[in-house]
Amino acid sequence: MKYTDADTKKNHSTLTRKLLALLLGIILTALSLEGLIRLGSRFLVVSVDEATSRVKNMSDILIVTTGDSHTQGIGAPEGCDYPSYLQKLLYKNYPGNAIQVINLGQAGSNSSEAVNRVLEFIAKSRKSPDIVIFQGGMNNDHNFHEAEFFKDLKFSDDRVEWSRYFLSMARVYRFSKITIQRLNREANRDTAKKMLHTDDYFDVHGEKEKSLLADWLLYDILRLNKEIMKHGGNLVLMNYWIHTPHVIAAYRRALENSPITYVNIFAFRYTNKPPVEYATHVKSFISYPDLHPNAQGYNLIANLLFQDLIKQNILPPFESIPSHLQ
């Protein structure tokens, strides 16, 4: 059977239509997923407006926590995040005081999003926070949404960087990238010791990019602290339980430039034991496979935080510190 030029053109036309249809299908699927993820996040995370409506007029001390999934409480059942455990400790140990904790943590947030939620809260709340606890920056390597630090990037002539900025605005892209990172991490992890001591939690390559991420995080921390101090509050920086070089670098520089409190929970403060015992201890506080703290881990974080807030005079002292905190 012979094919004519007309047949060839017809086949090419058919193939082109199929490719266009496939491309359109991919785009529509991505848009649908984007919409579903954004809609779902509204039900999973407390909005700033809802958070401000929960503020009690008679609160003696208002504490606001902000950050990403480690603040929201991913890895543990609802109500088992560290802010909830901190609230329980405050109720128990300050029975005569109205101390309230508001959780503004949202999974996937970069430092700019975490800071902006607090700034919006301050603008809308009937009472400004006395203490803001910030634990953020882990997602800065792949999420540039709301980042004023990169405000000129969207107008850059660098198409690669512009495309990266544009993609980072999409939650589908961020979700996919995080999923791939986790799969790679699981495939390459063979021992608990390696899991705890390697720097493969981020898609960050080279000192230049690490330095850039630290600069961005520092920028957000300082603008948050400036606003908090304006209202007479205190900023508390809390690190992650895992090794996060660019976060620690930014925290260190922030502490040098401003009166900010720092709380260290790295590996749950269990660093003086042999590697095997150390790894076994830490593993008992972790939810797998995403390596967030489990309920026991968040409870431990809340206790360590509570202890430091008292020792550093951020919380008012009370007659006796519970024995398990001494």
Side-chain angles (χ1 to χ4, degrees):
M1 183 177 181
K2 295 182 178 181
Y3 290 94
T4 64
D5 290 341
D7 292 328
T8 301
K9 291 180 179 179
K10 182 178 180 181
N11 289 337
H12 285 169
S13 179
T14 301
L15 179 60
T16 300
R17 286 198 298 271
K18 289 182 178 180
L19 290 174
L20 289 174
L22 177 62
L23 179 60
L24 180 61
I26 293 173
I27 293 174
L28 290 176
T29 300
L31 290 174
S32 299
L33 286 172
E34 180 74 12
L36 288 172
I37 293 174
R38 288 181 181 271
L39 181 63
S41 66
R42 291 174 178 247
F43 297 98
L44 294 173
V45 180
V46 175
S47 69
V48 173
D49 287 334
E50 184 180 350
T52 56
S53 70
R54 295 180 180 180
V55 175
K56 300 173 183 177
N57 288 326
M58 299 304 293
S59 293
D60 295 319
I61 298 177
L62 176 62
I63 300 175
V64 171
T65 65
T66 190
D68 47 40
S69 54
H70 289 254
T71 300
Q72 183 180 333
I74 299 300
E78 185 177 355
C80 294
D81 50 274
Y82 91 76
S84 294
Y85 281 120
L86 178 61
Q87 180 73 86
K88 293 175 183 177
L89 285 169
L90 295 169
Y91 279 151
K92 179 180 179 180
N93 293 288
Y94 294 92
N97 301 81
I99 303 179
Q100 185 179 10
V101 180
I102 298 291
N103 187 354
L104 294 181
Q106 182 172 333
S109 295
N110 60 34
S111 60
S112 298
E113 292 173 308
V115 167
N116 289 343
R117 281 195 296 277
V118 178
L119 299 184
E120 182 183 353
F121 179 92
I122 292 174
K124 295 180 176 179
S125 176
R126 68 191 75 180
K127 175 178 171 59
S128 296
D130 300 287
I131 302 169
V132 174
I133 302 170
F134 176 89
Q135 185 188 47
M138 179 179 285
N139 295 313
N140 285 22
D141 68 311
H142 63 274
N143 175 9
F144 302 105
H145 192 234
E146 297 184 16
E148 292 184 15
F149 184 77
F150 293 109
K151 59 186 177 182
D152 296 327
L153 182 59
K154 63 181 72 176
F155 305 109
S156 172
D157 293 329
D158 189 331
R159 294 183 180 181
V160 174
E161 286 302 312
W162 189 92
S163 299
R164 185 180 178 191
Y165 178 89
F166 177 78
L167 282 172
S168 73
M169 305 283 278
R171 298 187 184 186
V172 170
Y173 169 77
R174 301 204 298 267
F175 175 77
S176 301
K177 186 160 186 176
I178 291 171
T179 300
I180 292 172
Q181 288 176 337
R182 288 175 179 170
L183 289 173
N184 288 334
R185 183 168 63 236
E186 290 301 307
N188 296 324
R189 176 163 54 84
D190 47 33
T191 65
K193 184 177 179 181
K194 178 180 178 182
M195 176 193 73
L196 293 170
H197 293 283
T198 57
D199 187 23
D200 56 3
Y201 299 95
F202 305 98
D203 185 21
V204 180
H205 303 286
E207 294 304 318
K208 184 177 180 180
E209 187 168 1
K210 289 180 182 179
S211 177
L212 182 66
L213 294 177
D215 289 344
W216 170 17
L217 178 53
L218 176 65
Y219 174 87
D220 284 332
I221 290 172
L222 294 180
R223 69 188 181 95
L224 174 61
N225 187 57
K226 181 179 180 181
E227 187 66 22
I228 294 171
M229 290 181 65
K230 187 188 301 182
H231 293 84
N234 292 294
L235 174 61
V236 176
L237 301 180
M238 185 167 69
N239 62 1
Y240 294 94
W241 77 270
I242 52 178
H243 188 45
T244 51
H246 68 278
V247 173
I248 295 303
Y251 281 13
R252 185 178 294 114
R253 290 165 59 191
L255 295 171
E256 292 172 353
N257 290 282
S258 301
I260 298 173
T261 302
Y262 173 63
V263 173
N264 174 25
I265 62 162
F266 176 67
F268 307 113
R269 293 186 186 166
Y270 202 83
T271 58
N272 297 322
K273 298 293 182 179
V276 174
E277 186 177 346
Y278 167 76
T280 301
H281 170 81
V282 173
K283 283 177 66 178
S284 66
F285 294 101
I286 303 305
S287 173
Y288 293 92
D290 59 4
L291 303 183
H292 285 90
N294 55 26
Q296 188 178 0
Y298 285 122
N299 189 22
L300 177 57
I301 290 171
N303 276 272
L304 293 172
L305 173 62
F306 179 66
Q307 178 184 10
D308 265 17
L309 292 180
I310 294 172
K311 286 184 176 181
Q312 300 190 54
N313 297 316
I314 302 302
L315 282 175
F318 55 92
E319 292 185 359
S320 62
I321 298 176
S323 59
H324 68 283
L325 293 179
Q326 294 178 351

